Amino acid sequence: MSFRKKIKNNVPRVALESITTLVAGDIKTGKTRLWKEVTEMHYVKPEEALLLAFEDGYETWELDEIIPLHAEGTDKDLWKVWEYFKKDVVPGLVKEAKEGRVAKLIGVDTADRAIDACTAWVLNDRKRKYGKVFESIQDISESTGGKENGWTALHDELKSAFDTLKNAGYGLFYLAWTKERETTLYDGRKFNSLELAMSNTGRKVFASQASLICCLHNEVNILNKDGEILDDNAKSKSGKVLASNFHETKSMMYFRPSEFIGIAGGRFTDLPEKEEYSAENFLKVFEEAVKGQLKKTTTSVEDLKKNEDVEKQEKADETAERMEVISTEELMKEIHAIIENMNLAKKTKAAEGFEEAFGVRNYLQEKDNPTNLKKALEIVKDAAK
């Protein structure tokens, strides 16, 4: 029974760059600041933490390692942001992981804007494929008569890119927005809770894969004039409810769901409900959570980290080799999809371009040559204009 050879003992991951983390919060709750302070405290070298900025929330902070992806496109051509991320950044990071890893932990600020960019890319890609403008992801499903599900296409595109980075041995640290949502139970009762602002498709990619989910929330304590916390509203002698003139706001990090916080938790058992906002407290919670998972192993945390580094390098090598094959297949598909929607005149123009570049009037003999396939893609794009 060969399956027995596949059985192994699993040791919990102990390094921050060995897991996927999700930090969620409303606008201006300190998501980017937490990334900055946690990484500066945790890593000796600044280049070990790289922030992929799908928006400009970092602009007021001194940060050393940022790729400003948002600068690659505007709202009108937002697809270019994902195009650059997908075709330049991801392959570059995979290659770097194989040949000489620099970054260990990759931040995504924010996952919501990454979804927006990916959505724009899928719409633009399907426009080229079908020769039709799609107004929304749902429109892809409806306009193709069920030939393709737009939401599935978005999910697969999102997941593929970030899974590639994860498989190359990078830790992922997602930042995301929250919003208050109303939920109706089966018996008709309703409640409000703080949840991720993204769609279910986004949650499947970002929340489902996270081992540690932290929700940032500002709590308000109502005080009396002596600075004591009030558990109930003050009342006048006549019984009228009085609003206090005193209060304090505290930024809190939730690591477990509460009666209002819906998005928090993860795969660790030893997590507090909440801690006051700070990089020190965040790292303390993570370290204690890691220790809580190590019940049987006698190997030290430092040695476990070294073992993880070896495993990451093996995965990085495998991912780089696999990506070379996949990228070739994707280039072939992209070229074919463009040619399929060309008229005869444009196809003739493309054939002339192939003959000039490769000596023959097609590109199929270049199927094992990524460099020439990229040339072929540029030829068909130019001919399709």
Side-chain angles (χ1 to χ4, degrees), residues 74-85:
T74 64
D75 284 341
K76 291 182 179 180
D77 55 7
L78 191 58
W79 62 270
K80 291 182 178 179
V81 173
W82 190 261
E83 178 98 350
Y84 181 69
F85 169 64

PDB file of all heavy atoms in Angstrom, residues 74-85:
ATOM      1  N   THR A  74      -4.485  53.634 -13.349  1.00  0.00           N
ATOM      2  CA  THR A  74      -5.513  54.450 -12.695  1.00  0.00           C
ATOM      3  C   THR A  74      -6.814  53.656 -12.673  1.00  0.00           C
ATOM      4  O   THR A  74      -6.860  52.496 -13.106  1.00  0.00           O
ATOM      5  CB  THR A  74      -5.721  55.762 -13.468  1.00  0.00           C
ATOM      6  OG1 THR A  74      -6.227  55.450 -14.788  1.00  0.00           O
ATOM      7  CG2 THR A  74      -4.405  56.520 -13.625  1.00  0.00           C
ATOM      8  N   ASP A  75      -7.882  54.272 -12.179  1.00  0.00           N
ATOM      9  CA  ASP A  75      -9.177  53.581 -12.161  1.00  0.00           C
ATOM     10  C   ASP A  75      -9.630  53.205 -13.574  1.00  0.00           C
ATOM     11  O   ASP A  75     -10.343  52.220 -13.763  1.00  0.00           O
ATOM     12  CB  ASP A  75     -10.233  54.458 -11.493  1.00  0.00           C
ATOM     13  CG  ASP A  75     -10.072  54.482  -9.974  1.00  0.00           C
ATOM     14  OD1 ASP A  75      -9.416  53.567  -9.447  1.00  0.00           O
ATOM     15  OD2 ASP A  75     -10.590  55.399  -9.325  1.00  0.00           O
ATOM     16  N   LYS A  76      -9.198  53.979 -14.586  1.00  0.00           N
ATOM     17  CA  LYS A  76      -9.607  53.702 -15.965  1.00  0.00           C
ATOM     18  C   LYS A  76      -8.864  52.504 -16.551  1.00  0.00           C
ATOM     19  O   LYS A  76      -9.394  51.806 -17.417  1.00  0.00           O
ATOM     20  CB  LYS A  76      -9.374  54.933 -16.838  1.00  0.00           C
ATOM     21  CG  LYS A  76     -10.313  56.096 -16.515  1.00  0.00           C
ATOM     22  CD  LYS A  76     -10.066  57.273 -17.448  1.00  0.00           C
ATOM     23  CE  LYS A  76     -11.018  58.419 -17.137  1.00  0.00           C
ATOM     24  NZ  LYS A  76     -10.787  59.586 -18.033  1.00  0.00           N
ATOM     25  N   ASP A  77      -7.646  52.292 -16.122  1.00  0.00           N
ATOM     26  CA  ASP A  77      -6.886  51.137 -16.612  1.00  0.00           C
ATOM     27  C   ASP A  77      -6.292  50.358 -15.434  1.00  0.00           C
ATOM     28  O   ASP A  77      -5.115  50.005 -15.425  1.00  0.00           O
ATOM     29  CB  ASP A  77      -5.799  51.560 -17.591  1.00  0.00           C
ATOM     30  CG  ASP A  77      -4.856  52.621 -17.029  1.00  0.00           C
ATOM     31  OD1 ASP A  77      -4.972  52.936 -15.825  1.00  0.00           O
ATOM     32  OD2 ASP A  77      -4.000  53.114 -17.777  1.00  0.00           O
ATOM     33  N   LEU A  78      -7.141  50.084 -14.466  1.00  0.00           N
ATOM     34  CA  LEU A  78      -6.718  49.412 -13.239  1.00  0.00           C
ATOM     35  C   LEU A  78      -6.173  48.022 -13.511  1.00  0.00           C
ATOM     36  O   LEU A  78      -5.381  47.487 -12.726  1.00  0.00           O
ATOM     37  CB  LEU A  78      -7.900  49.343 -12.258  1.00  0.00           C
ATOM     38  CG  LEU A  78      -7.614  48.906 -10.821  1.00  0.00           C
ATOM     39  CD1 LEU A  78      -6.599  49.820 -10.155  1.00  0.00           C
ATOM     40  CD2 LEU A  78      -8.914  48.866 -10.011  1.00  0.00           C
ATOM     41  N   TRP A  79      -6.582  47.422 -14.631  1.00  0.00           N
ATOM     42  CA  TRP A  79      -6.112  46.085 -14.975  1.00  0.00           C
ATOM     43  C   TRP A  79      -4.591  46.032 -15.105  1.00  0.00           C
ATOM     44  O   TRP A  79      -3.976  44.981 -14.891  1.00  0.00           O
ATOM     45  CB  TRP A  79      -6.752  45.606 -16.280  1.00  0.00           C
ATOM     46  CG  TRP A  79      -6.429  46.435 -17.479  1.00  0.00           C
ATOM     47  CD1 TRP A  79      -7.106  47.521 -17.948  1.00  0.00           C
ATOM     48  CD2 TRP A  79      -5.318  46.247 -18.372  1.00  0.00           C
ATOM     49  NE1 TRP A  79      -6.501  48.016 -19.072  1.00  0.00           N
ATOM     50  CE2 TRP A  79      -5.409  47.254 -19.357  1.00  0.00           C
ATOM     51  CE3 TRP A  79      -4.273  45.322 -18.440  1.00  0.00           C
ATOM     52  CZ2 TRP A  79      -4.480  47.371 -20.394  1.00  0.00           C
ATOM     53  CZ3 TRP A  79      -3.338  45.437 -19.471  1.00  0.00           C
ATOM     54  CH2 TRP A  79      -3.457  46.436 -20.426  1.00  0.00           C
ATOM     55  N   LYS A  80      -3.965  47.171 -15.416  1.00  0.00           N
ATOM     56  CA  LYS A  80      -2.513  47.216 -15.573  1.00  0.00           C
ATOM     57  C   LYS A  80      -1.792  46.950 -14.258  1.00  0.00           C
ATOM     58  O   LYS A  80      -0.654  46.459 -14.245  1.00  0.00           O
ATOM     59  CB  LYS A  80      -2.082  48.564 -16.136  1.00  0.00           C
ATOM     60  CG  LYS A  80      -2.489  48.793 -17.585  1.00  0.00           C
ATOM     61  CD  LYS A  80      -1.978  50.129 -18.092  1.00  0.00           C
ATOM     62  CE  LYS A  80      -2.342  50.347 -19.556  1.00  0.00           C
ATOM     63  NZ  LYS A  80      -1.874  51.656 -20.056  1.00  0.00           N
ATOM     64  N   VAL A  81      -2.443  47.278 -13.138  1.00  0.00           N
ATOM     65  CA  VAL A  81      -1.851  47.009 -11.820  1.00  0.00           C
ATOM     66  C   VAL A  81      -1.685  45.510 -11.618  1.00  0.00           C
ATOM     67  O   VAL A  81      -0.619  45.027 -11.225  1.00  0.00           O
ATOM     68  CB  VAL A  81      -2.732  47.612 -10.702  1.00  0.00           C
ATOM     69  CG1 VAL A  81      -2.225  47.187  -9.323  1.00  0.00           C
ATOM     70  CG2 VAL A  81      -2.768  49.138 -10.806  1.00  0.00           C
ATOM     71  N   TRP A  82      -2.763  44.760 -11.913  1.00  0.00           N
ATOM     72  CA  TRP A  82      -2.693  43.305 -11.758  1.00  0.00           C
ATOM     73  C   TRP A  82      -1.770  42.689 -12.804  1.00  0.00           C
ATOM     74  O   TRP A  82      -1.055  41.730 -12.527  1.00  0.00           O
ATOM     75  CB  TRP A  82      -4.085  42.690 -11.847  1.00  0.00           C
ATOM     76  CG  TRP A  82      -4.091  41.242 -11.470  1.00  0.00           C
ATOM     77  CD1 TRP A  82      -4.082  40.168 -12.304  1.00  0.00           C
ATOM     78  CD2 TRP A  82      -4.068  40.700 -10.142  1.00  0.00           C
ATOM     79  NE1 TRP A  82      -4.062  38.985 -11.593  1.00  0.00           N
ATOM     80  CE2 TRP A  82      -4.061  39.294 -10.267  1.00  0.00           C
ATOM     81  CE3 TRP A  82      -4.071  41.272  -8.867  1.00  0.00           C
ATOM     82  CZ2 TRP A  82      -4.048  38.450  -9.149  1.00  0.00           C
ATOM     83  CZ3 TRP A  82      -4.055  40.429  -7.764  1.00  0.00           C
ATOM     84  CH2 TRP A  82      -4.044  39.034  -7.904  1.00  0.00           C
ATOM     85  N   GLU A  83      -1.781  43.235 -14.005  1.00  0.00           N
ATOM     86  CA  GLU A  83      -0.919  42.737 -15.069  1.00  0.00           C
ATOM     87  C   GLU A  83       0.553  42.802 -14.653  1.00  0.00           C
ATOM     88  O   GLU A  83       1.310  41.843 -14.837  1.00  0.00           O
ATOM     89  CB  GLU A  83      -1.141  43.581 -16.339  1.00  0.00           C
ATOM     90  CG  GLU A  83      -0.264  43.194 -17.498  1.00  0.00           C
ATOM     91  CD  GLU A  83      -0.944  42.278 -18.500  1.00  0.00           C
ATOM     92  OE1 GLU A  83      -2.051  41.778 -18.202  1.00  0.00           O
ATOM     93  OE2 GLU A  83      -0.369  42.045 -19.562  1.00  0.00           O
ATOM     94  N   TYR A  84       0.942  43.930 -14.068  1.00  0.00           N
ATOM     95  CA  TYR A  84       2.325  44.088 -13.630  1.00  0.00           C
ATOM     96  C   TYR A  84       2.636  43.152 -12.465  1.00  0.00           C
ATOM     97  O   TYR A  84       3.700  42.520 -12.422  1.00  0.00           O
ATOM     98  CB  TYR A  84       2.584  45.539 -13.224  1.00  0.00           C
ATOM     99  CG  TYR A  84       3.997  45.798 -12.769  1.00  0.00           C
ATOM    100  CD1 TYR A  84       5.061  45.758 -13.679  1.00  0.00           C
ATOM    101  CD2 TYR A  84       4.284  46.058 -11.434  1.00  0.00           C
ATOM    102  CE1 TYR A  84       6.370  45.976 -13.256  1.00  0.00           C
ATOM    103  CE2 TYR A  84       5.586  46.278 -11.009  1.00  0.00           C
ATOM    104  CZ  TYR A  84       6.619  46.235 -11.920  1.00  0.00           C
ATOM    105  OH  TYR A  84       7.912  46.436 -11.500  1.00  0.00           O
ATOM    106  N   PHE A  85       1.709  43.060 -11.521  1.00  0.00           N
ATOM    107  CA  PHE A  85       1.888  42.170 -10.377  1.00  0.00           C
ATOM    108  C   PHE A  85       2.004  40.724 -10.834  1.00  0.00           C
ATOM    109  O   PHE A  85       2.923  40.000 -10.420  1.00  0.00           O
ATOM    110  CB  PHE A  85       0.696  42.327  -9.430  1.00  0.00           C
ATOM    111  CG  PHE A  85       0.621  41.286  -8.341  1.00  0.00           C
ATOM    112  CD1 PHE A  85       1.607  41.187  -7.384  1.00  0.00           C
ATOM    113  CD2 PHE A  85      -0.460  40.403  -8.284  1.00  0.00           C
ATOM    114  CE1 PHE A  85       1.540  40.217  -6.371  1.00  0.00           C
ATOM    115  CE2 PHE A  85      -0.537  39.443  -7.284  1.00  0.00           C
ATOM    116  CZ  PHE A  85       0.464  39.349  -6.328  1.00  0.00           C
TER     117      PHE A  85
END
